[in-house]
Amino acid sequence: MDLELEGADLKAVLNRLRRAQGQISGVIRMIEEGRDCEDVVTQLAAASRALDRAGFAIIATGLQQCVIDIESGRKNGEDPEAMRARLEKLFLSLA
């Protein structure tokens, strides 16, 4: 399954990833500066949430595309059970 993000979906995912990138840079800087542990962990948790949300958005888009592919008969030779197993594995990778 190829990822085909378009328009608003693509922009939203990229924004989340850029936000996480900035937060991770901030965490690195905070550690280098010897900042308070609580502040570092708070910022790290925010970066983790941003990455999770980007991952979930990508999976949701993939699910939408899979449903469309199945309904239109364009399954690229993959049976529905194999597709379901692959998508389940993706979900679990973010759990």
Side-chain angles (χ1 to χ4, degrees), residues 34-65:
R35 298 274 300 271
D36 181 66
C37 178
E38 186 175 343
D39 293 340
V40 172
V41 171
T42 299
Q43 190 69 17
L44 191 57
S48 179
R49 283 191 304 274
L51 288 172
D52 287 345
R53 290 180 64 92
F56 290 137
I58 289 169
I59 288 175
T61 300
L63 278 174
Q64 182 180 21
Q65 290 172 3

Side-chain angles (χ1 to χ4, degrees), residues 17-37:
L17 291 173
R18 286 186 183 106
R19 184 177 308 125
Q21 183 179 33
Q23 290 167 325
I24 291 169
S25 294
V27 168
I28 292 169
R29 187 174 48 256
M30 292 169 77
I31 291 170
E32 291 172 342
E33 294 171 355
R35 298 274 300 271
D36 181 66
C37 178

Side-chain angles (χ1 to χ4, degrees), residues 71-83:
E71 289 176 353
S72 66
R74 297 179 289 123
K75 295 183 285 185
N76 296 325
E78 185 175 34
D79 67 78
E81 184 59 27
M83 186 180 296

